[in-house]
Amino acid sequence: MSEAPAAPHTESAEPATGPGRLDLLLVPPRARTGWRVLPARVLAMCVVELQKLRHDRTELYTRAVQPALWLLVFGETFTRIKAIPTGGVPYIDYLAPGIIAQSAMFIAIFYGIMIIWERDAGILTKLLVTPTPRSALIAGKAFAAGVKALIQAVVVIVIAALLGVAMTWNPLRLLGVVVAVVLGSAFFSCLSMTIAGIVLTRDRLMGIGQAITMPLFFASNALYPVAIMPGWLQTVSRINPLSYQVDALRGLLLGTHAHLALDYAVLVGAAVLGIAAASSLLGRLAR
């Protein structure tokens, strides 16, 4: 009767690279904490939001209709009648940056409806139990709204160029346009999500959103200079972030006089305050 085969002779179990390699298997890598994790989480949330466009691009197409009508109908008509003083700039040129800001705001101001839908579907509760900071959740959604607004801005710029609007194509200035559009959209989306955290229902949010969008638009310098407004409306325009966004876009695209340092300071401050306000109300929305 033959003997059982001997067990194969094994070499040393020590890994070839030394004991440090074994330590990596026993000790998990240190997780990123604090401020280092925030940018990654913001980017992840932004990507998640933008992936929704892969399944339904209808919103982008339908929202492109309104700014096109503003330029084609309102812009062309008022350019002919020369009813609004614009300092020698053709009115359609003057209007184009305002329509870019308007279309960005209209996308962002109803962003709270999406977060209420996520609450109703149970998605928001699942997001809140992850280690992702609430500020990262809000910031990711806010900057995703900014990217969507950029798509609308490209549509308006293309239409304006076809209509003969004299705009700059300087890459640095266009980069400044991107920053202004994203910051403005971030603020208005956070404003919408803040309102959502207060009213808690889609119907109420839609009513409030419709009630504030046109006043914000008309109480800015998007359609006409601040100098021709009544005194009380000039005061409202000076505290309206949309006015600073339009001023920055007009100065960058048309080369007109603008207070870019002040414009960007206001937009950054408004975006930061908006993220803080929406983050503080996120828990109330999820209850």
Side-chain angles (χ1 to χ4, degrees), residues 208-226:
I208 294 175
Q210 292 172 352
I212 66 175
T213 48
M214 296 312 292
L216 283 170
F217 178 49
F218 286 113
S220 72
N221 55 353
L223 296 177
Y224 30 68
V226 176

Side-chain angles (χ1 to χ4, degrees), residues 112-233:
I113 296 176
M114 186 178 301
I115 202 169
I116 292 178
W117 178 86
E118 291 180 351
R119 187 272 313 273
D120 295 342
I123 299 173
L124 183 60
T125 303
K126 295 177 182 178
L127 290 174
L128 289 178
V129 298
T130 66
T132 303
R134 293 180 180 183
S135 58
L137 292 173
I138 294 296
K141 291 179 178 294
F143 289 113
V147 176
K148 290 182 180 180
L150 283 176
I151 299 173
Q152 298 299 305
V154 171
V155 172
V156 176
I157 289 174
V158 169
I159 295 173
L162 293 175
L163 293 175
V165 174
M167 295 180 296
T168 183
W169 300 104
N170 184 302
L172 290 179
R173 288 180 173 268
L174 292 178
L175 180 61
V177 169
V178 169
V179 174
V181 170
V182 170
L183 288 175
S185 301
F187 166 72
F188 287 113
S189 63
C190 287
L191 174 63
S192 178
M193 288 185 281
T194 300
I195 297 172
I198 296 172
V199 301
L200 302 177
T201 65
R202 278 176 284 183
D203 292 339
R204 293 174 185 171
L205 179 59
M206 289 183 65
I208 294 175
Q210 292 172 352
I212 66 175
T213 48
M214 296 312 292
L216 283 170
F217 178 49
F218 286 113
S220 72
N221 55 353
L223 296 177
Y224 30 68
V226 176
I228 68 173
M229 298 179 184
W232 64 270
L233 191 56

Side-chain angles (χ1 to χ4, degrees), residues 27-38:
V27 181
R30 182 177 299 177
R32 289 181 297 178
T33 58
W35 65 269
R36 290 177 295 178
V37 77
L38 192 60

